[in-house]
Amino acid sequence: MGQRFNTLFSQGNYAEAAKVAASAPQGTLRTPQTIQKFQQVPTQPGQTAPLLQYFGILLDQGKLNKYESLELCRPVLVQGRKQLLEKWLKEEKLECSEELGDLVKPHDATMALSIYLRASVPAKVIQCFAETNQFQKIVLYAKKVGYTPDYIFILRQIMRTNPESGAAFAKMLVQDDEPLADINQIVDVFMEQNMVQQCTQFLLEALKNNRPSEGHLQTRLLEMNLLAAPQVADAILGNQMFSHYDRAHIAQLCEKSGLLQRALEHYTDLYDIKRAIVHTHLLNAEWVIQYFGALSVEDSMECLKAMLAHSIRTNLQIVVQVATKYHEQLGTENLIEMFESFKSFEGLYYFLGSIVNFSQDPEVHFKYIQAACKTNQVKEVERICRESNCYEPERVKNFLKEQKLTDQLPLIIVCDRFDFVHDLVLYLYRNNFAKYIEIYVQKVNPSRLPAVVGGLLDVDCSDDIIKSLIMTVRGSFSTDELVAELEKRNRLKLLLPWLEMRVHEGSTEPATHNALAKIYIDGNNNAERFLKENPFYDSRVVGRYCEKRDPHLACVAYERGLCDAELIKVCNENSLFKFEARYLVRRKEPALWAEVLDVENQYRRQMIDQVVQTALSETQDPDEISVTVKAFMTADLPNELIELLEKIVLDNSVFSEHRNLQNLLILTAIKADRTRVMEYINRLDNYDAPDIANIAIGNELYEEAFAIFKKFEVNTSAIQVLIDNIKNLDRAYEFAERCNEPGVWSSLAKAQLDNGMVKEAIDSYIKAEDPKDYKDVVRVASDLDKWEDIVRYLQMARKKARDGFVESELVFALAKTNRLADLEEFISGPNHASVQMVGDRCFEQGMYEAAKILYNNISNYGKLAITLVRLGQYQGAVEGARKANSTKTWKEVCFACVDHQEFRLAQVSGLHIVVHADELEELINYYQDRGYFDELITLLEAALGMDRAHMGMFTELAILYSKYKPSKMKEHLELFWSRVNIPKVLRAAEQAHLWHELVFLYDKYEEYDNAVVTMIQHPTEAWRESHFKDIITKVANIELYYRAIQFYLDYKPLLLNDLLLVLIPRMDHTRSVTYFRKVNHLQLVKPYLRAVQKLNNKTVNEALNELFIEDEDYTGLKTSIDAFDNFDNIGLAQRLEKHELIEFRRIAAYLYKGNNRWKQSVELCKKDRLFKDAMEYASESRSTDLAEELIAWFLEQKNHECFAACLYQCYDLLRPDVILELSWRHKIMDFAMPFMIQVIREYLGKVDKLQETEVQRSQEAESMEQQNRSLGIYPEAPLMLTAGPSGMNMGMQQQYAGSPSGGMPPGGPPGMGGAYQTPFGPPGAYYNSM
């Protein structure tokens, strides 16, 4: 084969040689040497080059190898025919390699990328992605092929050309958990370009997880921004995004950048903190205050000292604020010491002023007073001295003395509050501040005048000054204290003028008159007269003053003031018993008598003797005697009292007939000597008999009490004593017969009744004609069953009082004695008996005949009916119940009739019960418990036609039907569903498994969900097609639609489309189609899909398109595609282009066209020889390349007619020169001539139009110039260039001053020839370095 090739080649038969080389077995002759031979053969004029003939044969046979592909592409690229390469690549005629990509890249980077991708050259692919700005594809491609490029190098290259894209690419490198490149190196790339902002954005995104391992990067991020943009660094620190950076280093940078607040937040060393904190004018005051809250106590104190040491004027205010807020933590003492160490009394004053009102520390209050004095804040000193209760008075007093303020008011306030008045007076008097003494007692506190006067007396002040001071003070002060101060110093007479002036002014103050009394007593100046006549002095004070001087005057003073204890004491001590006895009798005070008559009083005997001998004999006042006697009684002196009373009462004195004294004598005898009581009762007549008798009874003197009642003819009380106390009924009966008084008989009868003597008691009551105890008589007699005696007693009582109780009990007694004729006669006449109550009692005790008479008398038909029931008279009971018309009565009559199986009468009664809803359930239960179901149903059916029929009746009947007559329930519900309680009947129907009735009720109750579920679960009994479709559209739970679909698939598949058509408005068609596809029933629901396709749902469209394809219905598919465009066009086109039917492949081309994939559409048409479609699609694409490629293909296929048709179809897209060349080369000028004629016609039209426009413009310009000349305006001469060639050279030199030689760039200026240098060197150097 090789020999033949060489022979043909040497003979110049290159075409045959090429065929031999191409058809050599196993490609033995398809070598670079063969290609080199064809290259060396010169091309003859008018003939195709041998090399191209060789390649043409190879292309017809199949795919070229690597070397053949390279050599073929070189001349093609030189000729600029890239479309041929694209065609060969699509037809896979070329073997892609890295060298081929390098060859194509200078001409078309995109095509080179495609070659690199096919040749699997990752480095070159990534390089092309970078050069074409497809950075997002670099990472994806590298991960896909498992290649790890030099991302840093790529990033650096991108940064130099497109920084913004580089920043985006850098973010892509770190978007995964594991960065694709070292973040430090990425940051270096950013910083090489001085892209601080972009680097910051990148690091913020890369470090957002705040990992400990990224601490150095966090530090670097903050460092670059602190140096370049401190505000950004401040914002980052403020957001607290990072926590692992070098805090000390960042703190120093913050301080250098002026961010003192951030620096302090990061400093931990006290030296650094002190250095920064002193510049408070650069810091927010509130932040500084909060910052101190995070420092320790020691550090806080050191910082405060540093701030004061740095600038006390600048920092004092904020230091005070910090001290105020944290004084509890820092210690008030430490802060005070700090301010004092800097001699800042102003700071101390403001600091303590903010806490003094809330502090109880004495030291705080003292230091505040001290600071206020130092700062001359006298008003504040005065306020705190007046209001504070926490300072040490002695210490403050001494301090204020030492200060010697110009205003002594603070010192006065302290001494006044804490009782240092004596020291104050001494201080002020000795330091010549006498005016402040007057101010003190006149304005500050006049009540301190006594103490001030005492102090002045102690310093030997003159009497005139003291008198003057006293006379000038008009405020309120204690006269007692003033008198005490002067009396203590024996200078009381100093007050005489002032006291007399006060009395003259009308003063009634006791202290004033006390002082005058003392002066008069000491001067013996009519003291007794003053004491008796003056009403204003204090008797105790003056009496105590007189006790040692004159006891008699003391008694006078005490008597005037009723000072009992003091007077008794003075009399006992001075043996003034007669005065004492008279005072006691006149005083009439029991408590005082009790005190002097106490057994412990050693002077009691002398006092009693004076009372008996003197005081009582002198008095004529019975109250005084009465009080005295009571006092003796209270003191338990009965023997002395009896003797006294006998002398007064029995010896015919003025008080002999005095009732109280007689009472007292008898009472005293009862208490002290009972043997003399009966004597006094008989001898005395003017005493209170009932009271004395009761007292005697209380002391068990029953005979004495009986004698008193009998003497004064109080017979009822007398017999009561015999009955209650002596307890002798026989003696009482004899006394009653002797007296024969109704009251006596009544008392006896009551006693007899209490002792169970009923007959005797009733006899006594009848004798007394006393009916008042009729309730007790009836109670006791009825308990003993004495009904005959009760009748006798009540007949007597009825004559006396027409009481209802009496007559009622009489009626009941007649019933008990079975005297029914008398009973009927009694109640027929006028009476006040409670017949109803008596009838009830008779009914309860089983006396039904009597009850019948009583109920009939009062027309109580309800009770009458019940009574007749008890008597077995059911017909009468029904009549009675009808008259009573009471539900309760009807119930009892009905239940009794049911129990005795009188169902006719029971139904009559039941009809009056069932109309009451509350009673219906009880009636039904009563029937059901006894098994009378049919009778109950008959009763309710009869009741339905009543005017008062209610929902409960219909409901309960429905429930009964469900239990006992299911066949009648459907008819009942259809007639009366609106009148039943549907929820209740629903439960009954469900329990009875009546599914059809249950669905009916669910439908009427609008529980459509449950109705559908029931039909699905019980289709045999419950499902009806029309009913189901009607209900399914009303359900609330959409899931039921899909349960219904499954139900129809299982039981009624042929009716499924009818159901789906009903559900169209509410279904999720995507879900339904997915479901049908899953169960492989799409074909079954094709009518449904056609019905919903109008919604243009993607899933529906795709499902229906699949069915059209399966059915090979290309017409339906084309109609669907045109009408509804919501589907995966490309996916469908890719599926159809492989279909065996040409019409479906034609639709695929149509779809590609619709999605602007013109090239694929045209290629598919060419493959199926759909030339018309191909021309139309090329025309619609508006792509010149596509149209020219189609033209070329027609020529290759020698389809000249289609070539001519395409010229017509794509006229406006084709370039005339290309068409002319093609038609000339293929010798088909006749086919192209119509096209060329039309083109020439258009071009001539355009030229003519341009000429017309130019002529018109020239005419307008001449017209304007003439107009300007007429106005005197002439055009200016053109200006000469100020800089000639030398200036231009200078500009050029400056422009390229950065070149290595200082002049022109290597290779000359751009556009002037020479070798062009890229920023990275010669064009190939950069790529070769990769």
Side-chain angles (χ1 to χ4, degrees):
M1 187 66 70
Q3 185 176 3
R4 184 183 178 191
F5 168 76
N6 292 328
T7 302
L8 293 173
F9 193 88
S10 60
Q11 294 175 358
N13 193 353
Y14 302 118
E16 292 299 326
K19 292 180 181 179
V20 171
S23 59
Q26 298 180 355
T28 53
L29 296 178
R30 295 177 62 177
T31 60
Q33 291 77 13
T34 302
I35 297 172
Q36 188 175 8
K37 284 185 178 181
F38 279 110
Q39 287 177 338
Q40 293 174 353
V41 176
T43 303
Q44 298 299 324
Q47 296 183 2
T48 303
L51 180 62
L52 294 180
Q53 294 180 13
Y54 174 62
F55 285 141
I57 295 172
L58 292 176
L59 288 173
D60 291 337
Q61 290 185 353
K63 183 177 181 180
L64 304 185
N65 60 27
K66 176 180 177 182
Y67 305 105
E68 294 166 348
S69 300
L70 284 172
E71 295 302 328
L72 173 61
C73 290
R74 281 194 178 93
V76 172
L77 290 173
V78 171
Q79 297 174 11
R81 301 178 68 181
K82 293 188 295 181
Q83 62 272 16
L84 290 177
L85 266 67
E86 293 180 3
K87 175 183 176 183
W88 293 334
L89 288 174
K90 288 181 181 178
E91 294 176 353
E92 297 183 353
K93 296 291 186 178
L94 303 178
E95 179 179 346
C96 295
S97 62
E98 182 177 358
E99 291 81 0
L100 180 60
D102 294 341
L103 179 65
V104 173
K105 186 176 180 183
H107 302 277
D108 191 333
T110 303
M111 187 181 301
L113 173 61
S114 176
I115 295 171
Y116 289 141
L117 285 170
R118 298 183 186 188
S120 298
V121 187
K124 294 298 179 70
V125 171
I126 291 174
Q127 179 180 342
C128 286
F129 278 142
E131 292 176 358
T132 56
N133 294 329
Q134 300 182 61
F135 310 112
Q136 68 277 7
K137 295 183 180 180
I138 295 176
V139 175
L140 296 176
Y141 174 77
K143 290 180 179 179
K144 181 178 179 181
V145 302
Y147 176 72
T148 305
D150 187 351
Y151 286 113
I152 300 302
F153 181 80
I154 296 172
L155 177 63
R156 186 174 282 109
Q157 177 185 353
I158 298 172
M159 283 293 186
R160 290 170 180 168
T161 58
N162 192 341
E164 296 299 328
S165 300
F169 180 66
K171 292 180 181 179
M172 293 176 58
L173 296 178
V174 297
Q175 65 184 2
D176 296 335
D177 292 337
E178 287 296 330
L180 299 176
D182 186 4
I183 299 179
N184 285 308
Q185 295 182 7
I186 296 175
V187 173
D188 292 339
V189 172
F190 276 107
M191 298 312 294
E192 288 173 2
Q193 303 295 326
N194 196 24
M195 297 170 62
V196 177
Q197 179 179 356
Q198 292 81 352
C199 184
T200 300
Q201 295 174 352
F202 163 74
L203 286 176
L204 289 175
E205 179 67 23
L207 306 179
K208 61 184 178 183
N209 294 320
N210 193 23
R211 300 186 182 92
S213 59
E214 299 169 346
H216 63 288
L217 293 172
Q218 297 177 2
T219 304
R220 189 170 182 183
L221 168 62
L222 294 172
E223 181 180 8
M224 69 174 68
N225 281 284
L226 285 170
L227 295 175
Q231 296 83 358
V232 177
D234 185 31
I236 296 173
L237 293 171
N239 291 332
Q240 299 181 356
M241 299 172 59
F242 308 124
S243 57
H244 304 293
Y245 53 86
D246 187 347
R247 299 180 68 86
H249 179 61
I250 295 303
Q252 293 178 356
L253 292 177
C254 288
E255 184 178 359
K256 293 178 181 179
S257 301
L259 301 178
L260 292 181
Q261 176 176 328
R262 300 301 179 195
L264 287 170
E265 289 175 349
H266 292 76
Y267 276 140
T268 56
D269 185 72
L270 181 60
Y271 176 79
D272 296 328
I273 295 173
K274 288 166 61 178
R275 182 181 68 252
I277 197 69
V278 298
H279 305 288
T280 57
H281 62 286
L282 301 176
L283 296 169
N284 181 276
E286 294 182 1
W287 180 88
V288 173
I289 296 171
Q290 295 296 328
Y291 176 74
F292 272 89
L295 297 178
S296 64
V297 174
E298 294 77 9
D299 292 351
S300 297
M301 291 302 300
E302 290 297 325
C303 290
L304 291 175
K305 291 177 182 178
M307 292 166 68
L308 291 176
H310 180 265
S311 175
I312 192 169
R313 180 181 298 276
T314 304
N315 298 331
L316 180 60
Q317 181 178 359
I318 197 166
V319 169
V320 169
Q321 293 177 354
V322 173
T324 301
K325 184 170 184 177
Y326 302 108
H327 68 276
E328 294 181 357
Q329 294 84 354
L330 300 178
T332 308
E333 295 182 359
N334 296 334
L335 294 170
I336 293 173
E337 182 180 352
M338 177 190 71
F339 282 111
E340 288 181 340
S341 65
F342 287 94
K343 296 182 181 181
S344 176
F345 292 105
E346 181 181 359
L348 183 61
Y349 169 73
Y350 287 117
F351 162 59
L352 294 178
S354 62
I355 67 171
V356 70
N357 294 329
F358 310 102
S359 175
Q360 296 183 355
D361 186 357
E363 185 68 18
V364 170
H365 288 255
F366 175 74
K367 290 296 183 179
Y368 182 63
I369 293 172
Q370 192 178 52
C373 291
K374 295 290 186 180
T375 56
N376 199 28
Q377 300 291 334
V378 180
K379 291 294 183 182
E380 190 61 19
V381 177
E382 178 184 338
R383 183 190 70 81
I384 203 68
C385 289
R386 180 184 297 107
E387 297 177 0
S388 175
N389 296 317
C390 300
Y391 58 80
E392 298 176 2
E394 186 70 28
R395 186 179 180 190
V396 173
K397 180 195 71 173
N398 294 334
F399 170 74
L400 293 175
K401 281 184 178 182
E402 294 172 359
Q403 286 298 110
K404 293 185 179 180
L405 301 173
T406 55
D407 188 351
Q408 296 297 319
L409 192 56
L411 177 62
I412 291 173
I413 292 172
V414 172
C415 293
D416 176 65
R417 285 187 63 194
F418 298 98
D419 203 18
F420 297 140
V421 178
H422 194 270
D423 293 347
L424 175 66
V425 171
L426 293 179
Y427 172 77
L428 295 177
Y429 186 79
R430 290 172 179 170
N431 288 278
N432 298 321
F433 291 126
K435 67 174 182 176
Y436 283 103
I437 296 176
E438 295 180 6
I439 292 172
Y440 175 44
V441 297
Q442 290 177 0
K443 297 181 179 180
V444 178
N445 193 353
S447 64
R448 289 293 191 177
L449 177 63
V452 172
V453 170
L456 291 175
L457 289 174
D458 292 341
V459 296
D460 295 330
C461 184
S462 65
D463 294 347
D464 294 337
I465 294 175
I466 294 173
K467 289 179 181 180
S468 174
L469 183 63
I470 294 172
M471 297 295 284
T472 57
V473 175
R474 292 298 180 184
S476 59
F477 57 87
S478 175
T479 305
D480 286 334
E481 294 180 6
L482 180 60
V483 171
E485 291 289 339
L486 292 169
E487 186 178 351
K488 186 166 55 177
R489 294 168 176 80
N490 295 322
R491 304 290 293 277
L492 192 56
K493 288 185 179 180
L494 277 175
L495 290 177
L496 184 58
W498 180 75
L499 293 171
E500 289 178 344
M501 180 189 71
R502 294 270 290 172
V503 171
H504 181 70
E505 291 175 351
S507 174
T508 60
E509 184 185 19
T512 301
H513 294 272
N514 292 345
L516 274 176
K518 291 177 182 180
I519 294 173
Y520 290 154
I521 290 169
D522 289 339
N524 196 18
N525 185 7
N526 289 326
E528 185 172 357
R529 178 183 174 188
F530 179 82
L531 294 177
K532 289 181 178 181
E533 295 178 355
N534 190 293
F536 303 116
Y537 68 88
D538 189 337
S539 299
R540 282 188 175 83
V541 174
V542 175
R544 192 180 306 112
Y545 188 77
C546 296
E547 283 182 3
K548 301 299 183 183
R549 292 171 173 81
D550 189 343
H552 177 72
L553 293 177
C555 289
V556 172
Y558 285 143
E559 182 179 13
R560 175 259 184 194
L562 301 178
C563 303
D564 300 332
E566 291 82 356
L567 186 143
I568 297 300
K569 179 182 177 184
V570 171
C571 289
N572 289 340
E573 290 176 354
N574 295 280
S575 301
L576 299 175
F577 299 114
K578 185 179 291 187
F579 190 93
E580 181 181 359
R582 289 171 179 159
Y583 176 74
L584 289 171
V585 172
R586 291 195 296 270
R587 185 75 173 85
K588 296 183 289 186
E589 178 59 43
L592 184 58
W593 276 110
E595 181 181 350
V596 299
L597 293 177
D598 187 59
V599 69
E600 300 294 333
N601 185 9
Q602 59 180 338
Y603 305 107
R604 184 175 71 166
R605 186 69 260 176
Q606 296 91 321
M607 187 275 300
I608 292 175
D609 292 342
Q610 291 299 324
V611 170
V612 174
Q613 295 172 9
T614 306
L616 287 179
S617 61
E618 293 177 356
T619 183
Q620 298 294 321
D621 187 355
D623 291 336
E624 292 180 355
I625 292 177
S626 176
V627 172
T628 303
V629 171
K630 289 180 181 178
F632 273 81
M633 291 173 62
T634 305
D636 196 17
L637 299 171
N639 295 324
E640 290 83 353
L641 182 58
I642 289 174
E643 292 175 4
L644 177 61
L645 292 174
E646 284 182 344
K647 183 176 181 181
I648 298 173
V649 175
L650 299 179
D651 291 349
N652 298 321
S653 65
V654 178
F655 300 103
S656 295
E657 297 298 326
H658 197 280
R659 180 181 292 273
N660 290 337
L661 293 179
Q662 289 187 10
N663 291 337
L664 185 58
L665 178 58
I666 296 173
L667 293 174
T668 305
I670 290 172
K671 183 177 182 181
D673 189 359
R674 296 187 175 192
T675 60
R676 303 173 68 178
V677 174
M678 189 63 80
E679 177 187 357
Y680 291 152
I681 290 172
N682 294 328
R683 288 184 63 183
L684 300 175
D685 298 319
N686 192 24
Y687 58 86
D688 296 326
D691 295 336
I692 297 299
N694 291 328
I695 294 173
I697 293 171
N699 287 276
E700 299 182 355
L701 298 175
Y702 305 126
E703 293 295 342
E704 286 81 354
F706 178 70
I708 293 172
F709 287 132
K710 186 177 179 181
K711 179 178 179 179
F712 288 92
E713 296 182 353
V714 187
N715 295 325
T716 55
S717 298
I719 195 171
Q720 203 68 39
V721 172
L722 291 173
I723 295 169
D724 297 337
N725 304 115
I726 300 176
K727 300 185 185 301
N728 191 335
L729 293 181
D730 295 336
R731 188 177 169 185
Y733 181 75
E734 293 174 357
F735 181 75
E737 282 189 336
R738 185 169 59 249
C739 297
N740 196 22
E741 295 180 1
V744 175
W745 282 114
S746 295
S747 299
L748 178 61
K750 178 65 175 173
Q752 291 172 334
L753 184 65
D754 293 339
N755 286 275
M757 303 166 63
V758 177
K759 187 176 183 308
E760 291 81 357
I762 289 176
D763 292 339
S764 298
Y765 275 122
I766 292 174
K767 289 178 182 180
E769 295 183 350
D770 179 13
K772 69 177 183 298
D773 293 329
Y774 59 84
K775 292 184 179 180
D776 294 334
V777 173
V778 172
R779 177 178 54 80
V780 175
S782 61
D783 291 342
L784 298 175
D785 206 18
K786 302 289 186 179
W787 296 104
E788 293 292 344
D789 294 330
I790 292 175
V791 171
R792 192 161 51 88
Y793 171 75
L794 292 176
Q795 287 175 343
M796 177 277 296
R798 185 169 182 264
K799 296 177 183 178
K800 291 292 183 181
R802 300 294 297 273
D803 184 84
F805 179 81
V806 173
E807 295 186 358
S808 299
E809 291 298 326
L810 178 58
V811 172
F812 186 72
L814 291 173
K816 289 293 286 185
T817 56
N818 202 25
R819 294 159 65 176
L820 300 180
D822 294 339
L823 170 63
E824 190 169 1
E825 180 184 358
F826 178 83
I827 62 175
S828 298
N831 62 82
H832 296 88
S834 178
V835 179
Q836 174 69 41
M837 182 186 69
V838 177
D840 293 342
R841 290 174 65 187
C842 293
F843 182 86
E844 292 170 358
Q845 296 189 19
M847 298 183 290
Y848 298 120
E849 290 293 344
K852 174 183 174 182
I853 294 171
L854 294 170
Y855 288 142
N856 192 38
N857 177 265
I858 60 175
S859 300
N860 188 343
Y861 299 111
K863 284 289 187 180
L864 178 61
I866 298 171
T867 304
L868 292 173
V869 168
R870 298 290 190 274
L871 293 172
Q873 302 174 13
Y874 300 109
Q875 185 64 45
V878 171
E879 294 299 327
R882 180 176 286 108
K883 294 178 181 179
N885 197 22
S886 167
T887 304
K888 182 178 180 183
T889 304
W890 281 118
K891 283 169 58 179
E892 296 199 19
V893 173
C894 178
F895 294 165
C897 292
V898 171
D899 292 338
H900 292 84
Q901 297 186 359
E902 294 286 343
F903 295 115
R904 184 184 63 81
L905 297 175
Q907 180 173 337
V908 173
S909 303
L911 291 175
H912 293 84
I913 298 172
V914 295
V915 296
H916 301 285
D918 297 338
E919 309 294 342
L920 181 59
E921 183 178 359
E922 183 180 358
L923 176 67
I924 292 173
N925 292 335
Y926 199 85
Y927 270 88
Q928 286 184 333
D929 292 344
R930 287 152 183 80
Y932 303 134
F933 309 120
D934 293 337
E935 289 78 6
L936 176 59
I937 291 174
T938 302
L939 170 61
L940 290 177
E941 287 175 344
L944 294 184
M946 300 174 64
D947 294 338
R948 298 178 60 189
H950 55 80
M951 178 181 287
M953 296 161 54
F954 294 94
T955 302
E956 295 298 336
L957 182 56
I959 294 173
L960 290 172
Y961 281 149
S962 70
K963 293 179 179 177
Y964 309 116
K965 293 186 178 181
S967 59
K968 300 184 69 175
M969 186 178 181
K970 183 65 168 64
E971 179 185 358
H972 177 72
L973 291 177
E974 289 177 350
L975 292 174
F976 304 114
W977 68 266
S978 62
R979 304 191 66 179
V980 300
N981 184 346
I982 294 181
K984 195 171 182 180
V985 180
L986 278 171
R987 291 193 295 271
E990 187 174 4
Q991 292 173 0
H993 293 182
L994 301 176
W995 307 118
H996 184 60
E997 290 78 359
L998 184 63
V999 170
F1000 177 81
L1001 289 171
Y1002 276 138
D1003 184 15
K1004 297 303 181 182
Y1005 198 50
E1006 297 184 0
E1007 288 194 6
Y1008 305 115
D1009 294 28
N1010 291 332
V1012 169
V1013 171
T1014 304
M1015 286 187 181
I1016 292 173
Q1017 292 176 348
H1018 307 282
T1020 305
E1021 297 87 353
W1023 182 80
R1024 301 290 183 276
E1025 180 187 3
S1026 59
H1027 195 195
F1028 188 86
K1029 289 194 294 184
D1030 181 55
I1031 293 177
I1032 192 66
T1033 59
K1034 303 175 184 178
V1035 298
N1037 185 1
I1038 304 300
E1039 293 298 323
L1040 290 177
Y1041 293 166
Y1042 305 101
R1043 289 188 61 183
I1045 291 172
Q1046 184 61 50
F1047 167 72
Y1048 266 71
L1049 283 173
D1050 295 338
Y1051 294 98
K1052 302 291 180 179
L1054 298 180
L1055 300 177
L1056 179 58
N1057 282 290
D1058 294 340
L1059 174 67
L1060 293 173
L1061 293 177
V1062 171
L1063 298 179
I1064 284 175
R1066 300 187 63 189
M1067 279 188 63
D1068 182 355
H1069 303 296
T1070 301
R1071 179 178 174 182
S1072 61
V1073 172
T1074 303
Y1075 173 77
F1076 287 124
R1077 178 179 279 113
K1078 180 179 178 182
V1079 298
N1080 197 23
H1081 283 305
L1082 276 178
Q1083 193 70 37
L1084 180 63
V1085 295
K1086 186 174 181 180
Y1088 155 71
L1089 295 176
R1090 283 182 174 276
V1092 299
Q1093 192 179 16
K1094 61 186 178 181
L1095 302 177
N1096 199 18
N1097 181 283
K1098 180 179 179 181
T1099 307
V1100 173
N1101 292 339
E1102 291 179 350
L1104 201 54
N1105 292 340
E1106 289 179 11
L1107 295 179
F1108 287 140
I1109 295 173
E1110 290 178 6
D1111 297 342
E1112 296 185 352
D1113 182 4
Y1114 60 86
T1115 305
L1117 178 61
K1118 182 66 165 58
T1119 304
S1120 174
I1121 290 172
D1122 290 337
F1124 308 104
D1125 58 351
N1126 188 12
F1127 59 92
D1128 184 359
N1129 288 261
I1130 303 304
L1132 180 60
Q1134 291 174 348
R1135 179 180 177 183
L1136 292 177
E1137 70 178 333
K1138 299 176 183 178
H1139 200 280
E1140 59 184 3
L1141 297 181
I1142 189 170
E1143 287 296 336
F1144 286 100
R1145 297 198 298 275
R1146 186 175 190 178
I1147 293 174
Y1150 177 74
L1151 288 172
Y1152 281 134
K1153 184 266 294 186
N1155 287 272
N1156 294 326
R1157 296 197 175 188
W1158 308 101
K1159 192 172 186 63
Q1160 288 178 265
S1161 176
V1162 172
E1163 291 293 333
L1164 192 57
C1165 291
K1166 291 192 297 184
K1167 186 181 298 184
D1168 291 329
R1169 305 189 67 78
L1170 300 172
F1171 302 136
K1172 180 181 179 181
D1173 292 349
M1175 288 186 283
E1176 290 179 354
Y1177 297 161
S1179 175
E1180 292 178 13
S1181 71
R1182 314 307 300 166
S1183 169
T1184 300
D1185 293 340
L1186 185 60
E1188 292 178 351
E1189 183 178 347
L1190 180 60
I1191 289 288
W1193 185 80
F1194 282 141
L1195 292 178
E1196 290 177 3
Q1197 299 296 322
K1198 301 186 182 301
N1199 193 339
H1200 300 156
E1201 291 78 6
C1202 289
F1203 170 80
C1206 189
L1207 292 179
Y1208 170 77
Q1209 187 73 30
C1210 304
Y1211 171 79
D1212 54 341
L1213 299 178
L1214 299 174
R1215 292 175 291 180
D1217 56 334
V1218 174
I1219 300 304
L1220 184 60
E1221 179 185 359
L1222 290 174
S1223 59
W1224 174 71
R1225 289 175 57 190
H1226 291 83
K1227 300 178 180 178
I1228 52 172
M1229 288 298 296
D1230 292 343
F1231 291 94
M1233 188 54 65
F1235 173 82
M1236 298 306 301
I1237 293 170
Q1238 181 64 28
V1239 168
I1240 293 171
R1241 175 64 263 176
E1242 284 188 2
Y1243 282 180
L1244 290 175
K1246 292 178 181 179
V1247 171
D1248 293 340
K1249 188 174 182 180
L1250 287 174
Q1251 288 178 346
E1252 292 176 359
T1253 304
E1254 180 63 22
V1255 171
Q1256 184 178 359
R1257 188 190 64 79
S1258 301
Q1259 292 175 352
E1260 291 177 355
E1262 292 178 0
S1263 175
M1264 182 63 68
E1265 184 178 357
Q1266 292 177 359
Q1267 185 177 0
N1268 290 338
R1269 291 181 180 276
S1270 63
L1271 296 175
I1273 301 174
Y1274 299 94
E1276 296 181 359
L1279 296 176
M1280 296 296 291
L1281 292 175
T1282 55
S1286 60
M1288 294 177 64
N1289 292 335
M1290 288 293 294
M1292 296 290 288
Q1293 291 174 3
Q1294 291 176 3
Q1295 180 179 357
Y1296 296 99
S1299 62
S1301 61
M1304 299 293 288
M1312 302 281 296
Y1316 173 67
Q1317 293 283 339
T1318 69
F1320 308 101
Y1326 171 70
Y1327 304 103
N1328 293 333
S1329 66
M1330 294 182 61

